[in-house]
Amino acid sequence: MSLVSYRKKRKFKLSKEPIDRKKNKAKKQPIFVLQKHNATHLHYDFRIEIKGVLKSWAIPKNIPKTTKVKRLAMLTEDHPMEYAKFEGIIPKGNYGAGSVKIVDKGTYENIKKDKNGKIIPMSKCFKSGQIEFFLKGKKLNGPYALINFKDKKSWLIIKMKKR
Ligand code: MN
């Protein structure tokens, strides 16, 4: 809104005055984080940014390191984006009491394609229970899939073969 009148008054093809190029900037890549959560039961919280929130799964046995295993991932509540930076102690008596440590974080790329080879938006993938993404972290680097089964909360995380 703030730059609407500025843009209206100028002919950028004829004048070299600056255009605000925000729109042309490369889109910021969505993020992921893996947090080791030493609570009542040790587990790993895997979170990926979808539409401005961190969709979150608790993975009891951690993310698979090979393509041969499937690991259970239980969908938990959405977390705010800021949670990706959180490390520390959740005090006794609070929800999730225990320590939280970041194992890895980085960005990811949506790699789930439709029949025509077009990328399916992440929010749509989430709803259909079939997510495929390429993690770009320090430790986690490669393609993974999250697949919903049985009920809304039960998912499997697998490491995919590199194509
Ligand atoms: Mn947790």
Side-chain angles (χ1 to χ4, degrees):
M1 184 62 205
S2 57
L3 290 169
V4 171
S5 55
Y6 174 85
R7 286 191 205 108
K8 270 187 188 162
K9 285 176 186 168
R10 284 162 178 84
K11 288 176 177 161
F12 294 108
K13 274 180 191 163
L14 305 173
S15 164
K16 288 205 168 115
E17 291 171 281
I19 313 169
D20 65 308
R21 292 199 183 272
K22 259 184 194 161
K23 277 184 183 166
N24 301 333
K25 264 188 194 167
K27 262 192 190 167
K28 238 176 103 190
Q29 296 236 344
I31 62 156
F32 82 89
V33 65
L34 181 68
Q35 288 155 320
K36 186 177 181 178
H37 188 183
N38 205 344
T40 316
H41 300 282
L42 172 70
H43 62 274
Y44 293 80
D45 289 305
F46 179 64
R47 312 182 198 280
I48 54 173
E49 175 183 357
I50 300 178
K51 280 199 166 178
V53 296
L54 293 172
K55 291 285 174 197
S56 301
W57 289 262
I59 306 176
K61 290 183 176 171
N62 205 355
I63 287 188
K65 288 184 174 74
T66 70
T67 56
K68 293 180 179 84
V69 285
K70 295 182 176 85
R71 291 274 166 82
L72 181 69
M74 296 303 287
L75 186 69
T76 58
E77 77 278 17
D78 294 351
H79 277 55
M81 289 300 295
E82 297 75 42
Y83 210 90
K85 293 177 202 153
F86 180 70
E87 266 189 323
I89 305 288
I90 303 169
K92 268 185 188 170
N94 289 277
Y95 178 69
S99 66
V100 176
K101 213 183 149 195
I102 295 170
V103 179
D104 199 11
K105 60 180 173 181
T107 60
Y108 76 84
E109 193 185 327
N110 177 10
I111 54 169
K112 180 77 178 168
K113 289 173 182 169
D114 65 17
K115 284 173 207 156
N116 305 314
K118 218 183 130 199
I119 293 288
I120 305 167
M122 211 54 183
S123 52
K124 210 174 163 185
C125 295
F126 177 80
K127 272 180 203 156
S128 69
Q130 301 260 346
I131 305 175
E132 288 176 15
F133 46 88
F134 195 103
L135 295 182
K136 298 168 186 175
K138 283 187 184 133
K139 292 173 190 160
L140 300 168
N141 205 288
Y144 294 81
L146 270 161
I147 297 145
N148 183 226
F149 72 102
K150 208 165 73 182
D151 53 57
K152 270 194 173 178
K153 282 192 165 184
S154 307
W155 295 63
L156 289 169
I157 185 160
I158 60 165
K159 187 170 186 179
M160 295 164 70
K161 284 183 183 135
K162 280 191 187 178
R163 276 166 245 178

